[in-house]
Amino acid sequence: MNWKKLQNGSDIRGVAIEGVEGEDVNLTPEVVKILAQSFVKWLQEKTGTARPGIAVGTDSRISGQTLKESLTEGFTESGAKVFDCGMASTPAMFMTTVDKEQPTTAGIMITASHLPFNRNGLKFFTKDGGLDKKDISAILTIAENGSYKSADEKGTVEKWNFMDLYASTLVDYIRKGANLPNYEQPLKGMKIIVDAGNGAGGFFADKVLKELGADTDGSQFLEPNGMFPNHIPNPEDKKAMQSVCDAVKRNNAQLGIIFDTDVDRSAIVDQNGEPINRNSLIALISAIMLREHPGSTIVTDSITSVGLAKFIKNHGGVHHRFKRGYKNVINESIRLNNEGKESWLAIETSGHAALRENYFLDDGAYLIAKLLVETAILNSKGQNLSSLITDLEQPAESKEIRFTITSNDFAEYGKKVLEELPTIIGDINEWEIVSPNYEGLRINCNGAKERGWFLLRMSLHDPVMPLNIESDIEGGVENIEKQLNEILSQYKGLKR
């Protein structure tokens, strides 16, 4: 068994069921039971708690129930007390660890985010937040070495309907934040569409929005279905975004909300059926955070636009463009705060948004709650959310190209490309290497027929080099791409 192959950054992921040709099952019930025992061993050493309490939740994946049973068996054999939260969201599983009434030692979410139906995985939390890469490596090492053991006294299992409690805290937060005369129902008179993509986010329509007075008729794909028959539950997916945009238009709604499978990511749609995601979503939440915390540093991933950087600066903030990976941006924001540099927001273009006021937890539902406070206040004045980002400069064109690295040692080959390119590009007139830059190679292309930038970087996990290009003029992306293709053609280990 190759235990290390199960590591996916700060998560564990694998193939849980058959059904996709060429993908062998490696996240079996037996493997998950050992992972559960290994996690308890790690947790005991980390916290000094002999009999930890662990909350367990699943998204809508069809393998979720089977894997939960295996986790529970492993936990109880190791003496842990299990809180079975049923269908839940990833952020809620963290929130169990800071619950005022009954805090758990840890929370685990069984999910593989937006990946295909045959995949599944585990996300781990303690009161200090999500586990890091080194923690996952340590757990897998325990599993590989078999250095876990059964307890003399088995643990117990208790049902815990935590999602109702979690939803009620969101409702209270929105009521208090909006603080309108119609206090109980600040969204009364508004039609708001929710698209849960058949994941775990359907609760938001009934248990949050309806409680606040919103009309949610026309919401779609709220029923959990692990085969995801309608579209991928992913705010970055074009088909998914188009689906919720169409629903907003069809129902004359003032707002649309879309979640990914396990509700740690989200995006919205404005009253015109136009998507507010990626750079626009970052700008929107940045405008609110910078009003509340002037001068704050906003940490984003590496592929954010020049227009967003200008927007943050114009709104009195500091833009810190860092690396891809939601844990990377979160940890960087935490690091800045620890150094005395205020940073209240860490956010990826994928929709992962973590706020300092909320434990730096990437919580798609909390992000929406924050935006709904603003929505309610603006609506009472006859205004809408999109009015906050009218000064965001949008690129005329953008494109992502993914180069596959065919070399056996793909990491070394990608490193070689990135080390050599600056010398070659340094000879090109009106191309300027961006510094500081924390991931890959970012170039400002200032030619009259380009007016844009590109970023070439390594994928976090795969033998791929993504290339992002943006331009402020029509035809600019093509002109940048053409010149760059001539340069990259000398690297025979790169294939489009």
Side-chain angles (χ1 to χ4, degrees), residues 347-368:
I347 181 166
E348 262 203 316
T349 49
S350 65
H352 279 287
L355 281 65
R356 176 173 154 179
E357 67 190 50
N358 189 44
Y359 305 96
F360 271 118
L361 173 66
D362 53 318
D363 184 344
Y366 186 87
L367 173 65
I368 296 300

Side-chain angles (χ1 to χ4, degrees), residues 21-316:
E21 187 177 349
E23 295 190 7
D24 297 327
V25 175
N26 62 352
L27 196 66
T28 64
E30 295 75 19
V31 164
V32 170
K33 179 182 175 181
I34 292 172
L35 289 171
Q37 294 170 299
S38 302
F39 178 59
V40 173
K41 171 73 171 175
W42 179 89
L43 204 56
Q44 289 167 334
E45 294 175 348
K46 188 83 172 176
T47 67
T49 304
R51 299 177 70 80
I54 304 173
V56 181
T58 69
D59 64 17
S60 59
R61 291 178 179 279
I62 58 177
S63 58
Q65 184 61 33
T66 300
L67 297 191
K68 184 173 70 174
E69 290 169 2
S70 295
L71 271 180
T72 301
E73 186 179 351
F75 289 149
T76 54
E77 281 193 15
S78 300
K81 182 175 183 178
V82 177
F83 297 92
D84 183 352
C85 297
M87 182 75 63
S89 72
T90 291
M93 289 303 94
F94 164 76
M95 294 303 294
T96 66
T97 70
V98 294
D99 180 65
K100 293 176 182 178
E101 301 284 329
Q102 183 176 257
T104 62
T105 316
I108 287 189
M109 181 68 177
I110 303 170
T111 182
S113 189
H114 61 281
L115 292 181
F117 73 94
N118 66 321
R119 307 292 185 90
N120 218 326
L122 307 173
K123 291 185 177 182
F124 302 82
F125 299 95
T126 68
K127 64 180 176 57
D128 297 320
L131 268 56
D132 286 321
K133 290 180 182 179
K134 66 180 187 304
D135 303 317
I136 302 300
S137 295
I139 293 165
L140 291 171
T141 297
I142 293 171
E144 189 172 26
N145 296 338
S147 53
Y148 50 86
K149 61 181 181 180
S150 298
D152 295 333
E153 183 182 347
K154 287 190 71 172
T156 58
V157 182
E158 178 183 321
K159 296 284 187 182
W160 190 14
N161 187 8
F162 187 76
M163 285 306 294
D164 280 357
L165 179 61
Y166 171 75
S168 70
T169 62
L170 294 175
V171 170
D172 289 344
Y173 171 81
I174 295 166
R175 283 173 176 158
K176 290 175 183 175
N179 196 26
L180 293 172
N182 52 336
Y183 184 84
E184 290 293 316
Q185 295 194 319
L187 300 179
K188 190 172 181 61
M190 294 193 71
K191 180 179 276 290
I192 301 178
I193 299 296
V194 176
D195 184 329
N198 301 114
F203 77 94
F204 202 86
D206 286 340
K207 295 183 178 180
V208 179
L209 293 176
K210 283 187 179 179
E211 289 293 316
L212 296 166
D215 176 1
T216 62
D217 288 350
S219 292
Q220 57 187 19
F221 318 138
L222 304 182
E223 307 79 16
N225 185 332
M227 295 302 292
F228 311 123
N230 295 290
H231 61 66
I232 297 170
N234 180 5
E236 283 197 294
D237 182 72
K238 289 183 179 179
K239 180 181 176 183
M241 283 305 301
Q242 189 60 55
S243 180
V244 68
C245 288
D246 290 344
V248 168
K249 293 176 184 176
R250 188 167 59 246
N251 291 279
N252 295 314
Q254 281 110 319
L255 192 70
I257 299 167
I258 182 170
F259 295 113
D260 77 338
T261 320
D262 59 325
V263 202
D264 60 359
R265 293 187 296 133
S266 57
I268 61 173
V269 177
D270 72 11
Q271 71 283 356
N272 298 315
E274 293 297 321
I276 300 181
N277 62 349
R278 299 180 66 80
N279 287 290
S280 297
L281 182 65
I282 298 173
L284 184 60
I285 187 61
S286 294
I288 296 168
M289 298 307 297
L290 290 170
R291 188 185 65 220
E292 295 178 0
H293 306 284
S296 174
T297 295
I298 308 296
V299 180
T300 73
D301 59 338
S302 59
I303 64 170
T304 48
S305 69
V306 172
L308 177 65
K310 289 181 182 177
F311 180 91
I312 291 172
K313 182 179 179 181
N314 291 341
H315 284 254

